[in-house]
Amino acid sequence: MLGDFFWLLFFSGFFLYWAFDAFVLQLSSRVVVKAKPSYWTAVGITGLVYVIEVVIGILAMFLAMAFMGRVAMMDMMHSDFSSWFSFVPWVVVYITISVVLFALLIGWLYGRMLRDTEGRDIRFGKGILVFLLQFVITRAVLTLLVLIRFFWVGSWGLF
């Protein structure tokens, strides 16, 4: 019973975030190119981005295992916390490369799928700008929600 409730909360939270992210895509598109897609088009594009994000995450995990080596990763997982700091430079490089490649891919996708006021593709440059604005807005709101949750739960003594 508790497991079913967990999955209900998990997926309802995911769908709420998806709905919010589609709204932010509309807003970002309106700010950058002065035109916004319909809400359902934004939902579809956002869903496609999520699928791409999952595929990139899985591929990135396999690449990390290939570069670091499976044994090194297992040693890291079963070691004390201080040994994790030896991987910080690699993690920073990995995250930087992942975000840049993801931004380029999604910028290209937005450039091909979003339209300006005259119905033309918005192209790659504006696609990246739409993505970056959407990324900043959603991450700012998520950070705010996490801080609110942290202080609310902490203030009730449940943390």
Side-chain angles (χ1 to χ4, degrees):
M1 180 70 178
L2 186 59
D4 294 336
F5 183 67
F6 169 78
W7 289 112
L8 174 69
L9 286 177
F10 177 80
F11 283 113
S12 61
F14 172 75
F15 288 124
L16 283 173
Y17 180 72
W18 189 354
F20 173 74
D21 207 12
F23 170 73
V24 174
L25 174 59
Q26 283 187 307
L27 176 71
S28 301
S29 180
R30 175 172 240 151
V31 168
V32 173
V33 294
K34 309 297 184 251
K36 68 177 187 174
S38 71
Y39 183 74
W40 292 111
T41 301
V43 167
I45 293 172
T46 304
L48 180 61
V49 167
Y50 289 167
V51 169
I52 291 170
E53 194 171 3
V54 167
V55 169
I56 287 175
I58 291 170
L59 290 174
M61 181 185 68
F62 285 123
L63 285 174
M65 287 176 70
F67 285 124
M68 290 174 49
R70 186 174 57 89
V71 173
M73 286 188 73
M74 291 308 226
D75 288 345
M76 181 181 74
M77 294 174 126
H78 296 292
S79 64
D80 59 343
F81 186 70
S82 62
S83 65
W84 284 61
F85 288 108
S86 65
F87 290 99
V88 167
W90 288 106
V91 169
V92 169
V93 168
Y94 164 75
I95 289 173
T96 303
I97 291 172
S98 297
V99 167
V100 168
L101 289 177
F102 186 72
L104 293 174
L105 179 63
I106 300 308
W108 174 80
L109 181 73
Y110 282 1
R112 303 285 295 163
M113 298 187 84
L114 296 174
R115 306 278 181 238
D116 62 8
T117 55
E118 297 172 2
R120 298 176 303 202
D121 294 351
I122 65 169
R123 304 282 184 210
F124 179 70
K126 288 184 180 177
I128 286 182
L129 291 176
V130 169
F131 167 74
L132 291 176
L133 183 60
Q134 178 189 20
F135 187 80
V136 167
I137 291 171
T138 55
R139 293 321 181 258
V141 169
L142 285 176
T143 301
L144 181 65
L145 290 174
V146 165
L147 289 174
I148 289 170
R149 182 190 179 277
F150 175 74
F151 288 116
W152 182 75
V153 169
S155 68
W156 283 88
L158 302 172
F159 195 68

